[in-house]
């Protein structure tokens, strides 16, 4: 199948650009991502989708420099990520991994305050701007009433929102999130997606891994579909998500209907039978 592409949305002034050229990633002897080229639209929300094991989370780790490339390069605003100091990367790029852990006894506000760590140093201590960033992040994640609660007393969904708030407080130009809504109920899923769109509207570049293809179509401006460590399609959801692509990615037959505002709605009809 020919890779589907659409023109990237216009970049907002000040929004960060993130991409990769010839990127290869893996663990030990296992190659996961190979020869991957990618240019993520700045100031927009991108969803990375694909079947389990296709390399979505590995790609996110490579884009964040958590995993060093075996080949190729990751570019942040035209600069090679590999050559940037770690603290500078933390000021410009935030990552929320799939499994995050915190010490016992930490409150929600304590956790969110950690998001300001990259902005601290010998010549810059805690400031009113830091406190404001923390309060704004707590409000954006609907956590002000829970700010002084210890993390271990919260539900899984509430803890997930606390981690998202910490990443928001980091105040970076790029946000990378691995399954940010996996532990949330429907209402809080919508709140998180609205929050992420609000951040993109203010000039952030948001990239999230999602398993739910229909959710990706509803909430992303740009979709990147992966299979076997490579990008097989990317572009606006209405241009990319077809029954052919869904069958190729997941091995299912489906109908792709057009929902409100032209958003594709994927309706599986059964497993794809070969022959």
């Amino acid at each position: 199948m020919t890779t589907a592409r659409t023109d990237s949305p216009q970049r907002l002034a000040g929004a960060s650009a993130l991409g990769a050229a010839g990127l290869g990633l893996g663990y030990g002897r296992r190659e996961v991502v190979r020869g991957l080229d990618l240019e993520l639209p700045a100031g927009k929300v991108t969803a990375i989708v694909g079947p389990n094991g296709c390399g979505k989370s590995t790609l996110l780790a490579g884009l964040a420099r958590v995993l060093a490339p075996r080949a190729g390069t990751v570019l942040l605003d035209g600069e090679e990520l590999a050559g940037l100091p770690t603290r500078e990367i933390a000021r410009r790029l935030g990552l929320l991994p799939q499994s995050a852990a915190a010490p016992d006894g930490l409150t929600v506000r304590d956790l969110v305050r950690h998001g300001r760590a990259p902005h601290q140093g010998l010549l810059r201590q805690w400031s009113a701007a830091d406190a404001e960033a923390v309060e704004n992040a707590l409000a954006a994640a609907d956590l002000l009433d829970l700010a002084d609660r210890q993390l271990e007393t919260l539900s899984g969904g509430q803890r997930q929102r606390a981690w998202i708030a910490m990443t928001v407080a980091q105040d970076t130009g790029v946000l990378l999130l691995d399954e940010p809504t996996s532990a949330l109920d429907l209402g809080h899923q919508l709140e998180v997606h609205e929050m992420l769109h609000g951040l993109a509207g203010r000039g952030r570049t948001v990239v999230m891994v999602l398993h739910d293809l229909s959710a990706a179509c509803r909430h992303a401006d740009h979709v990147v579909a992966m299979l076997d460590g490579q990008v097989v399609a990317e572009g606006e959801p209405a241009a990319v998500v077809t029954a052919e692509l869904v069958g190729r990615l997941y091995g299912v037959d489906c109908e792709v209907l057009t929902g409100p505002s032209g958003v594709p709605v994927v309706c599986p009809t059964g497993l794809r039978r070969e022959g």
Side-chain angles (χ1 to χ4, degrees):
M1 183 179 96
T2 302
T3 299
R5 294 178 183 270
T6 62
D7 293 336
S8 296
Q10 185 176 1
R11 180 180 175 184
L12 297 180
S16 293
L18 182 66
L23 187 62
L25 300 165
Y27 306 94
R29 296 183 179 180
R30 180 171 168 244
E31 182 183 54
V32 179
V33 170
R34 59 190 184 282
L36 186 144
D37 296 323
L38 188 64
E39 184 176 351
L40 298 167
K44 298 294 180 180
V45 177
T46 293
I48 303 175
V49 301
N52 292 340
C54 72
K56 301 185 298 296
S57 295
T58 299
L59 172 58
L60 213 66
L63 292 175
R65 208 178 74 174
V66 172
L67 186 62
R70 294 182 170 186
T73 186
V74 176
L75 299 171
L76 177 60
D77 292 329
E79 299 179 84
E80 289 195 20
L81 209 63
L84 295 176
T86 299
R87 181 173 286 270
E88 182 178 349
I89 292 175
R91 289 173 181 159
R92 296 169 62 181
L93 191 154
L95 171 68
L96 178 63
Q98 201 171 107
S99 300
D104 291 341
L106 209 65
T107 68
V108 172
R109 181 174 275 108
D110 291 335
L111 177 66
V112 177
R113 282 172 60 97
H114 278 290
R116 301 303 298 166
H119 302 276
Q120 308 302 308
L122 292 176
L123 300 179
R124 189 190 185 286
Q125 301 301 310
W126 190 263
S127 68
D130 294 315
E132 183 179 7
V134 169
E135 293 306 307
N136 288 342
L138 288 167
D142 191 23
L143 288 171
L144 286 173
D145 291 342
L146 301 175
D148 296 319
R149 288 266 301 272
Q150 293 185 352
L151 289 172
E152 57 264 30
T153 69
L154 303 181
S155 69
Q158 290 168 335
R159 285 195 299 273
Q160 181 73 346
R161 284 189 283 139
W163 284 104
I164 292 171
M166 185 199 73
T167 309
V168 171
Q170 196 172 333
D171 196 23
T172 57
V174 177
L175 284 176
L176 305 174
L177 307 106
D178 197 350
E179 289 291 334
T181 59
S182 60
L184 303 182
D185 60 41
L186 182 59
H188 282 117
Q189 285 182 36
L190 291 173
E191 286 181 0
V192 166
H193 285 301
E194 288 179 2
M195 175 177 65
L196 295 177
H197 267 285
L199 292 169
R202 293 190 293 275
R204 308 272 190 101
T205 299
V206 178
V207 184
M208 56 185 177
V209 168
L210 289 180
H211 277 296
D212 187 336
L213 183 57
S214 291
C217 292
R218 284 196 306 273
H219 300 298
D221 305 302
H222 189 81
V223 169
V224 173
M226 290 187 65
L227 183 65
D228 296 331
Q230 296 184 315
V231 174
V232 295
E234 64 175 294
E236 294 180 2
V240 167
V241 178
T242 64
E244 180 186 3
L245 178 66
V246 175
R248 184 181 181 193
L249 293 179
Y250 303 105
V252 299
D253 291 320
C254 72
E255 292 185 34
V256 178
L257 308 178
T258 301
S261 303
V263 173
V265 177
V266 178
C267 303
T269 58
L271 291 174
R272 175 163 289 190
R273 305 296 181 184
E274 298 298 334

